[in-house]
Amino acid sequence: MTRTPFATGRRAAGSHLADSVLGATRAPTGSYVDRGGVSRSSPESCDPLREGELWDAAERFTAAFAAWTPGA
C-alpha cells in the first residue's frame, strides 16, 4: 500500500496525526486533515440522516464484538 500515491508511511502518518492533535496543524470544526493539508468537509458529511445511518451501521458491525467475552 505504501507504494501508491494515496498511502502515507507510518512515521509520516504519525507525525501528521501528532500535528493535528497538538495544534500545529489548525483544523477548525467541520474540516478534515489529509497529510497535513486542511480541507472543508463536504455538505454530505454533515447530513444528520447520513450520520444516523452511519452510526446504526457501526453498531451493527460491532455488536458481536461488544457482546464477546474473552475466554467464554
Side-chain angles (χ1 to χ4, degrees):
M1 182 73 175
T2 58
R3 294 184 180 171
T4 70
F6 304 109
T8 302
R10 286 183 289 198
R11 186 176 299 246
S15 179
H16 292 314
L17 177 60
D19 287 347
S20 296
V21 171
L22 298 174
T25 299
R26 301 219 181 264
T29 299
S31 62
Y32 65 92
V33 178
D34 180 10
R35 293 180 231 163
V38 179
S39 299
R40 289 198 46 82
S41 189
S42 67
E44 294 85 5
S45 68
C46 300
D47 180 341
L49 180 60
R50 289 177 61 122
E51 291 175 8
E53 291 171 351
L54 177 60
W55 189 263
D56 291 343
E59 286 183 328
R60 283 193 316 275
F61 297 147
T62 59
F65 179 76
W68 178 67
T69 304

